[in-house]
Amino acid sequence: MPNIEITTKPTGRSPERKVHYGSRTNHLDLSRPKYNKIGEEKYFWEFYFDFDEYDLDHNLVFYTSGMCFRVETNDDRHAQFVRNMFTVVDNPYDHCADWTILHNTEMKTLPAIAVNLNEHIMLIAGTTFLGEIKKGVFSILGFELPDQNILPMHCAAFTYENKTNLMFGLSGTGKTTLSSDPKFRLISDDEVSWNDEGIRIIETGCYAKSEGLTQETHPTIFNAVEEARKQKTLVVENPGASNARLSYPIDCVSNAWIDQEQFGHPDNIFFLTMDATGRFPPVSKISGDTVRRFFETGYTSQMPGTEAGNDEIKKIFSPCYGSPFMPRPVKVYSDMLMDKITNGNCNVYLINTGMDGSGNRFSLDFTRTCVKSAIDIGIADNSKEVLNILEGLL
């Protein structure tokens, strides 16, 4: 299949258009109604039977996190995207899916995502944005895995100097850039789970932003994209847009772990914040309630001019560093994280990828050095200082 370019409508996910159905919705966190809406079940079935009018020619089955998913879609481009992001099996009808995702890009409707938690069916229509399927899978895992004492995490993972590391961060904080350091060996660029044995990959593909991508600043990603282009597996989404993305299988990444799903417990965890106020140190070691507070708030900031009409620094909060994908109460995830950190004797660091006290952005090389130094030699704990700063911003 040739490389693919797609301009989507809309050009991003539509998490506010997601509605949940069924009695299992009693487990949702209704204090975050933007992402955790509940609907009457009759409307789900009306939407479900609308899909009967369309041919969903692609039937794709893959396994992740101990669960079997089936994706049925009408769209060649989205089928290739699924193949990039997951290891699709042969003979799909020989497998019994735990969850089914029906995906239609022809249906004339506003973006709509319907999730029946009892029937294990997700419906997606009215959008051609590629990430909707990917994050649909992740949000299902975000709901299901805690029942198995498995923590789903919106983070990158990599090894360096024989140590395993996690890196949490919202869009714009530098997670993809930092985790793709040429000296790191990539495990996953975006989604990982943490079970009793250690961490495990969720996807076998990458979905990287392309804005500012050069061989000098992002050599690992740049070379992976070129390899995918040669293999004719590259999917380019919304070329030229500020949120343009590139999808390719992880085996295009020269220094990635291939054919290994399970890894040991992490040695270090990094929380990234792009702090535009210049109040946080470039690197801080944190512990205890400070770790919980940062995880539960997911703080970062947005610079003036990032959005039309925005002429002030804007504070952004996304609990668990991925609020749209974590539908249960936030404390469910933070309790699991704190238990696993304690049991695994894991170090936690806060990295400020934003501004220093003079209003100058920390350089990429400097921040990369901070990360490596924390892994190599560690630093003294300054939880109280950074917690006081965070509380002042809330």
Side-chain angles (χ1 to χ4, degrees):
M1 191 171 185
N3 296 317
I4 294 171
E5 284 195 7
I6 177 174
T7 299
T8 70
K9 184 177 181 181
T11 57
R13 290 180 294 102
S14 304
E16 72 286 350
R17 301 285 302 172
K18 181 167 58 178
V19 182
H20 300 81
Y21 301 86
S23 61
R24 296 177 79 204
T25 55
N26 64 348
H27 296 294
L28 298 180
D29 182 1
L30 300 185
S31 70
R32 292 180 285 141
K34 180 178 180 180
Y35 304 128
N36 294 325
K37 299 179 179 67
I38 299 175
E40 293 184 43
E41 197 156 355
K42 65 178 182 180
Y43 297 117
F44 173 85
W45 292 113
E46 288 176 4
F47 189 25
Y48 177 83
F49 288 118
D50 286 343
F51 278 71
D52 287 344
E53 300 177 17
Y54 300 87
D55 293 326
L56 305 181
D57 295 329
H58 298 277
N59 194 308
L60 307 155
V61 171
F62 55 87
Y63 288 80
T64 181
S65 304
M67 296 176 61
C68 179
F69 285 83
R70 184 184 306 277
V71 176
E72 299 181 28
T73 180
N74 65 296
D75 198 302
D76 295 347
R77 302 163 300 178
H78 290 256
Q80 179 60 47
F81 177 73
V82 171
R83 293 187 183 95
N84 277 4
M85 301 307 299
F86 303 97
T87 302
V88 174
V89 301
D90 296 329
N91 305 314
Y93 296 106
D94 292 345
H95 301 262
C96 182
D98 297 298
W99 270 85
T100 297
I101 299 175
L102 303 183
H103 175 265
N104 187 300
T105 58
E106 295 177 340
M107 194 179 296
K108 303 301 180 184
T109 179
L110 292 173
I113 301 97
V115 187
N116 193 314
L117 296 171
N118 287 37
E119 300 293 334
H120 294 192
I121 299 172
M122 174 179 280
L123 310 174
I124 302 174
T127 173
T128 56
F129 185 68
L130 293 171
E132 210 67 77
I133 294 177
K134 164 188 160 67
K135 290 306 185 187
V137 172
F138 189 49
S139 64
I140 290 169
L141 295 175
F143 181 82
E144 297 284 14
L145 292 185
D147 279 344
Q148 305 170 40
N149 194 35
I150 299 173
L151 176 63
M153 300 179 293
H154 184 217
C155 69
F158 60 93
T159 58
Y160 173 67
E161 300 293 346
N162 297 316
K163 294 179 180 178
T164 302
N165 310 277
L166 304 180
M167 186 169 281
F168 291 81
L170 301 178
S171 179
T173 58
K175 177 181 62 175
T176 300
T177 300
L178 290 171
S179 64
S180 64
D181 187 300
K183 294 186 178 180
F184 298 163
R185 191 169 180 187
L186 184 67
I187 295 173
S188 172
D189 76 334
D190 193 49
E191 297 171 8
V192 182
S193 64
W194 193 347
N195 57 32
D196 290 339
E197 285 73 44
I199 64 168
R200 187 173 184 176
I201 63 170
I202 289 176
E203 301 171 330
T204 52
C206 298
Y207 186 49
K209 284 189 173 182
S210 62
E211 185 178 28
L213 179 65
T214 68
Q215 194 163 22
E216 290 72 31
T217 60
H218 303 74
T220 301
I221 300 174
F222 186 92
N223 293 335
V225 169
E226 293 309 305
E227 179 60 27
R229 200 185 307 277
K230 293 177 185 176
Q231 295 183 10
K232 299 191 181 301
T233 56
L234 180 65
V235 179
V236 181
E237 182 180 44
N238 298 317
S242 60
N243 66 334
R245 287 186 177 270
L246 303 158
S247 165
Y248 46 90
I250 198 169
D251 61 15
C252 293
V253 182
S254 60
N255 61 343
W257 288 93
I258 307 298
D259 298 328
Q260 182 171 337
E261 295 184 358
Q262 183 74 49
F263 297 81
H265 295 287
D267 299 285
N268 303 289
I269 295 176
F270 294 91
F271 292 163
L272 305 183
T273 179
M274 205 299 289
D275 176 40
T277 70
R279 299 179 64 187
F280 286 104
V283 57
S284 308
K285 186 175 184 180
I286 58 177
S287 57
D289 290 340
T290 303
V291 173
R292 181 184 291 274
R293 192 65 165 149
F294 271 94
F295 184 74
E296 291 184 345
T297 59
Y299 164 73
T300 190
S301 54
Q302 189 178 79
M303 291 298 292
T306 303
E307 295 178 351
N310 175 31
D311 56 3
E312 297 180 349
I313 294 173
K314 183 178 180 181
K315 293 179 284 189
I316 304 292
F317 300 97
S318 186
C320 311
Y321 294 96
S323 185
F325 326 120
M326 307 294 172
R328 292 177 182 262
V330 171
K331 193 173 184 296
V332 169
Y333 306 102
S334 61
D335 282 350
M336 293 180 69
L337 178 68
M338 297 306 296
D339 286 345
K340 291 180 183 298
I341 287 172
T342 300
N343 293 336
N345 195 27
C346 185
N347 300 309
V348 184
Y349 299 94
L350 177 73
I351 300 290
N352 178 10
T353 62
M355 306 299 181
D356 63 18
S358 301
N360 299 310
R361 183 88 187 253
F362 291 117
S363 72
L364 176 58
D365 286 343
F366 175 74
T367 301
R368 281 176 168 164
T369 299
C370 288
V371 171
K372 291 170 185 170
S373 295
I375 296 172
D376 287 335
I377 60 177
I379 62 171
D381 192 299
N382 56 336
S383 293
K384 185 176 181 180
E385 174 190 352
V386 295
L387 181 58
N388 287 338
I389 296 172
L390 177 63
E391 295 295 349
L393 294 170
L394 296 175

